[in-house]
Amino acid sequence: MTVAPGSTIGIIGGGQLGRMLAIAAAELGYQCHVLDPNPHGPAAQVSAHFTRAAYDDVGALREFGASVDVATYEFENLPVGPLGVLGDKLKPSTRSLAIAQDRAREKAFIEECGARVTPWRAISTLDEVNAAAAEVGCPLVLKTRRWGYDGKGQVWVRSEADAAQSWSAISEEPAVAEAGVDFFAEFSVIVARWADGRHALWGSPENQHREGILRRSTVPCSEAVAAQLDEARRAAVEIAGALGHVGVLTVEFFASRDGPLVNEIAPRVHNSGHWTIEGAVTSQFEQHIRAICSLPPGPTALTGSGAVMDNLIGDEVDRWPELVGDPGLHVHIYGKGEARAGRKMGHVTRVIA
Ligand code: AMP
């Protein structure tokens, strides 16, 4: 059912993704209601309504649900059970969330969809880490099954002798052990899906990371990556369909010599899609709002010949005087208080004519 402009959209999570969703929603005439434990976050600053509550506060979620016409989430580290009180108002559903927030379920699901991932094992004991090192081979990466982001909760096992130390470095938490991929590039496929199965894709960005954090996304991607896009896009559409996903879904890939391997999925708008705000006719944020409100898909063509998005991490945001003085840059600053090391404080996009 269409959620008409003038209605209220609930956003669970108050970070920069929520902020950019709220701005896109406002342009279409919606009001947003943000739920987050932090009253001073980026999204609350630009939204009409705000509830300060923990994500597992069922009473607060119930009231929040009653006050909105549709609800969505902007990050995946949320407890799934309490969100049940939102029922069908929540888009995407808790199914997308439950699968994406557990790396072992996620990988098994991706494989069931016919897409490829690097060889992996679920592990919960040191013996299993040792067995994975012997069977899958080193280097391996241990990644906690839950609550990881931006490379947190990850440690490399370079040789079998590292196993015990690496296992304790992730606090002996349930994890996956996955083979290190000798990739030549990383890229992502961002897809928006509607409840009736329609979908929209953008040009796929090539992504550069440093210390597990995205630094730069570039569209169009290089020719070597472009050769892998047919398979990767088919996989992303298949995954979104199998989830019954409504809204934007991002699938991150390694471009390996043997073809595209899925790294992980995010059931939401994504940092590697920020360039779409100025670089595409319809941004990922507007498209997400369109999909969850059952408005028609917007066109996703590039506005120029390409775009480059750079994150402003930590004190890089202090360069704002120079950045806002560059007429070729679109500057986005998220309104976060303290520029801690590794914190995403903003981004800049240059559209290539
Ligand atoms: P993730 O949080 O899983 O997206 O990992 C963050 C970054 O670490 C990725 O974007 C890669 O640059 C790197 N990385 C993660 N897993 C692997 C892997 N299996 N092989 C090689 N590099 C990896």
Side-chain angles (χ1 to χ4, degrees):
M1 211 184 57
T2 302
V3 177
S7 305
T8 301
I9 298 174
I11 302 175
I12 301 163
Q16 65 269 21
L17 300 178
R19 179 186 181 94
M20 290 182 271
L21 281 170
I23 292 170
E27 287 188 342
L28 285 170
Y30 296 98
Q31 299 198 18
C32 287
H33 183 160
V34 170
L35 183 143
D36 193 88
N38 172 10
H40 307 296
Q45 294 167 22
V46 300
S47 296
H49 310 286
F50 177 72
T51 294
R52 179 181 193 170
Y55 300 129
D56 60 356
D57 182 339
V58 173
L61 281 167
R62 194 172 279 120
E63 264 182 51
F64 169 80
S67 77
V68 302
D69 298 289
V70 62
T72 192
Y73 44 87
E74 61 105 66
F75 80 128
E76 56 267 48
N77 285 336
L78 295 171
V80 167
L83 297 179
V85 298
L86 298 172
D88 291 344
K89 274 192 184 171
L90 187 67
K91 293 179 173 51
S93 74
T94 51
R95 175 174 159 78
S96 295
L97 191 61
I99 290 173
Q101 71 180 200
D102 177 341
R103 288 189 189 271
R105 270 186 89 178
E106 175 185 50
K107 285 185 193 299
F109 185 80
I110 291 164
E111 288 180 312
E112 280 164 28
C113 291
R116 294 188 278 160
V117 298
T118 188
W120 67 282
R121 299 281 186 280
I123 53 167
S124 48
T125 64
L126 177 57
D127 282 349
E128 286 170 346
V129 181
N130 282 317
E135 290 166 24
V136 176
C138 289
L140 277 179
V141 200
L142 302 187
K143 300 181 178 178
T144 54
R145 283 177 70 151
R146 289 170 177 276
W147 316 123
Y149 68 97
D150 284 349
K152 294 191 171 57
Q154 297 189 13
V155 60
W156 282 86
V157 184
R158 304 262 167 216
S159 72
E160 290 185 34
D162 283 355
Q165 202 186 1
S166 303
W167 176 233
S168 83
I170 58 160
S171 309
E172 306 187 2
E173 273 185 52
V176 295
E178 59 177 64
V181 178
D182 183 18
F183 57 80
F184 64 84
E186 293 184 79
F187 66 100
S188 48
V189 175
I190 306 165
V191 55
R193 185 177 181 279
W194 275 252
D196 61 8
R198 280 177 297 175
H199 62 268
L201 290 152
W202 288 262
S204 296
E206 191 162 327
N207 303 322
Q208 287 164 252
H209 296 81
R210 207 159 61 221
E211 291 160 1
I213 303 178
L214 181 69
R215 303 302 305 211
R216 168 173 283 192
S217 292
T218 307
V219 273
C221 54
S222 61
E223 274 179 31
V225 169
Q228 305 202 350
L229 285 185
D230 276 354
E231 181 178 338
R233 287 166 164 251
R234 263 198 313 276
V237 170
E238 184 67 33
I239 291 166
L243 288 170
H245 193 82
V246 177
V248 169
L249 173 85
T250 305
V251 185
E252 291 187 72
F253 288 89
F254 298 120
S256 79
R257 310 275 158 215
D258 302 327
L261 300 177
V262 176
N263 175 19
E264 61 179 355
I265 62 179
R268 54 168 170 79
V269 288
H270 194 257
N271 194 170
S272 64
H274 290 359
W275 63 271
T276 59
I277 297 175
E278 295 89 8
V281 177
T282 307
S283 76
Q284 60 167 350
F285 301 101
E286 176 177 341
Q287 201 77 299
H288 183 77
I289 300 297
R290 284 173 172 260
I292 65 171
C293 293
S294 291
L295 304 185
T300 54
L302 294 174
T303 54
S305 64
V308 181
M309 187 281 321
D310 284 304
N311 273 336
L312 301 174
I313 311 276
D315 61 11
E316 287 168 3
V317 72
D318 296 341
R319 289 173 49 218
W320 66 263
E322 160 208 337
L323 299 171
V324 295
D326 182 335
L329 282 185
H330 298 278
V331 181
H332 297 259
I333 295 174
Y334 304 146
K336 295 182 180 178
E338 197 194 336
R340 287 196 296 273
R343 199 171 193 204
K344 290 175 179 170
M345 302 300 292
H347 73 267
V348 292
T349 299
R350 189 180 297 279
V351 176
I352 316 295

